Amino acid sequence: MKNTLKINHNERKIIMDRTFAKFAENTRSEEYAHLQMVRKDYPNYNVLVRTIKKNPNKNCYDGLTYQYMKNYIDKYEEVNQKEKVLEELDNMLFISRCHSKALRYPKIKKWFLDKYPNIVKFGMPKEEIEKTINLSKNEVSLSA
């Protein structure tokens, strides 16, 4: 059993993750037996499934792949700079291969968005652009 329960005594809660909850649905599983044992030990505690808090202001760029970045640079970068920027991107991709996948993409995405800030507004209706700009201003004022 890899997934376990956590007990929060301060808030009087028994907390399990989603995977544990799924396994505990089977009344013949180890997870079900473990849950019942803990509930017997702490009958006044509430049983909850842990949820991950999500950032509602997070900007997602689902289509922003490495290939998209190359195509964008190829299409919109000035002719005399195009080869240099593509070489810089390829170099970053090569260097990043020694890092975990979780680290390499965010670094390259940040570089790309810093270099091409208009990509954030690319293809968005005017109202959405203004909404995005207002959210960014609020984030700046909150962090200041």
Side-chain angles (χ1 to χ4, degrees):
M1 179 170 37
K2 293 182 181 179
N3 301 299
T4 58
L5 293 174
K6 294 189 179 177
I7 300 173
N8 184 333
H9 293 289
N10 293 336
E11 297 180 19
R12 304 177 64 83
K13 294 179 183 177
I14 301 169
I15 305 167
M16 60 182 150
D17 64 14
R18 190 175 60 173
T19 307
F20 187 95
K22 182 153 178 62
F23 287 132
E25 289 175 1
N26 180 357
T27 57
R28 294 181 182 213
S29 69
E30 291 178 43
E31 288 80 5
Y32 179 83
H34 184 63
L35 175 62
Q36 296 310 318
M37 183 179 68
V38 172
R39 288 183 66 205
K40 195 177 289 183
D41 291 344
Y42 302 100
N44 297 327
Y45 283 33
N46 292 324
V47 179
L48 300 171
V49 177
R50 182 179 65 91
T51 56
I52 297 172
K53 296 174 187 155
K54 296 182 180 180
N55 182 356
N57 298 327
K58 179 183 175 190
N59 293 324
C60 294
Y61 303 96
D62 291 337
L64 190 59
T65 61
Y66 297 136
Q67 188 60 49
Y68 181 86
M69 291 178 199
K70 288 180 182 181
N71 293 345
Y72 185 89
I73 292 167
D74 191 46
K75 187 169 185 172
Y76 294 105
E77 186 62 60
E78 295 176 21
V79 176
N80 58 347
Q81 289 287 87
K82 188 184 302 186
E83 196 167 313
K84 179 183 170 200
V85 175
L86 283 171
E87 187 176 314
E88 185 178 359
L89 176 61
D90 286 336
N91 190 36
M92 287 180 71
L93 288 169
F94 177 75
I95 291 170
S96 72
R97 288 194 182 105
C98 68
H99 300 289
S100 71
K101 289 182 181 180
L103 294 176
R104 69 175 95 152
Y105 178 76
K107 184 173 178 71
I108 294 172
K109 179 179 83 170
K110 182 179 180 334
W111 168 83
F112 184 79
L113 293 174
D114 287 346
K115 191 157 190 70
Y116 302 102
N118 291 336
I119 196 76
V120 174
K121 301 178 243 171
F122 192 67
M124 291 174 82
K126 187 175 180 179
E127 302 83 36
E128 285 292 318
I129 293 171
E130 289 172 1
K131 183 179 172 185
T132 304
I133 291 171
N134 288 337
L135 281 175
S136 298
K137 286 179 183 177
N138 289 341
E139 289 173 4
V140 170
S141 65
L142 289 174
S143 62

